[in-house]
Amino acid sequence: MTPNVIKCPTKTVCKTKHRRCTFNNSVALSNRRCPTNRICDSLCKSIIDNHRFKGPSWKNTDATQWCTIAWSITKCYIPPDGYENVNTARDTDFNGIVNIIINCIKFQKYLKEDLSESANICTKVRDKNKTLKYSPTMRIADDEKGNFIITLVGILNDSVNVNNPSKFTETSQKLLKLKTDVFEVSATKR
């Protein structure tokens, strides 16, 4: 289980009550050995080593699923709040996906821009998305919309080592049409 493989205290996970950690000191932890030759400990170390900020979201994940459901490992790179019950990429919102790209250093090979810089193409698109997401009216001015779309196109154009570059080109063209109001958006289209 996850409490078996992370060290106590772990920021944002451990909760103390009467000087005892309620996350790491449960009855279920009496057997702290990994049943698969300590592979859980190796996976835990790898998750930490591949996290850009060395602070995985442990409360999102379930270590018992690490060897069978890859998304359980991926969830370690998503922000800690709001994603505990998200079990696939399809169920994950834009903010979650872009944070995976930012937080997991393995994604650097897919982008030219240095993701270790605090202001990079992914943080720009994430911040623009947050501005729209938290707008009380869910509306943005035309120039803001244009800037947001250009930033999205920028992330597509910055991509390297992709399996389907024609899909990236097609998506960029659709975004540019959306910028000029030539492309229609429908709630039923995918």
Side-chain angles (χ1 to χ4, degrees):
M1 296 182 343
T2 308
N4 295 106
V5 293
I6 64 171
K7 289 183 172 51
C8 185
T10 298
K11 189 177 171 185
T12 72
V13 176
C14 297
K15 294 172 178 58
T16 54
K17 186 175 183 178
H18 307 293
R19 296 186 189 194
R20 290 188 54 159
C21 175
T22 58
F23 185 75
N24 281 297
N25 289 327
S26 68
V27 176
L29 298 179
S30 57
N31 179 6
R32 294 188 63 90
R33 297 180 46 96
C34 178
T36 54
N37 296 324
R38 304 192 58 78
I39 195 167
C40 305
D41 297 325
S42 296
L43 282 170
C44 181
K45 182 180 179 335
S46 180
I47 290 167
I48 294 168
D49 291 346
N50 285 292
H51 196 285
R52 187 169 309 283
F53 307 103
K54 307 299 181 210
S57 300
W58 299 120
K59 76 180 201 176
N60 282 342
T61 193
D62 179 356
T64 63
Q65 297 176 348
W66 287 356
C67 293
T68 55
I69 302 171
W71 196 254
S72 292
I73 292 174
T74 306
K75 287 171 63 169
C76 294
Y77 301 96
I78 301 176
D81 296 319
Y83 295 96
E84 190 175 339
N85 296 317
V86 174
N87 297 313
T88 66
R90 183 176 288 278
D91 297 336
T92 305
D93 66 7
F94 182 81
N95 184 60
I97 298 295
V98 79
N99 273 289
I100 293 166
I101 295 168
I102 293 167
N103 293 332
C104 182
I105 61 174
K106 292 203 177 257
F107 280 95
Q108 180 61 65
K109 68 182 177 184
Y110 297 107
L111 293 161
K112 293 176 218 158
E113 190 161 334
D114 186 356
L115 297 180
S116 68
E117 297 291 327
S118 60
N120 62 63
I121 193 75
C122 289
T123 58
K124 288 175 191 169
V125 79
R126 179 191 63 196
D127 294 345
K128 288 185 184 296
N129 178 61
K130 281 183 186 176
T131 300
L132 175 61
K133 183 177 177 179
Y134 295 113
S135 165
T137 62
M138 289 295 291
R139 294 178 188 266
I140 57 174
D142 284 344
D143 62 327
E144 290 179 72
K145 176 184 84 170
N147 288 335
F148 185 51
I149 290 171
I150 292 301
T151 306
L152 288 170
V153 169
I155 204 169
L156 292 170
N157 291 337
D158 192 68
S159 302
V160 293
N161 300 322
V162 293
N163 291 337
N164 193 348
S166 63
K167 193 71 167 169
F168 276 54
T169 303
E170 177 187 336
T171 303
S172 291
Q173 291 169 349
K174 285 180 179 179
L175 283 168
L176 292 171
K177 285 180 182 177
L178 182 63
K179 180 179 182 268
T180 58
D181 291 326
V182 176
F183 186 72
E184 288 186 30
V185 178
S186 169
T188 58
K189 277 188 174 180
R190 285 203 147 223

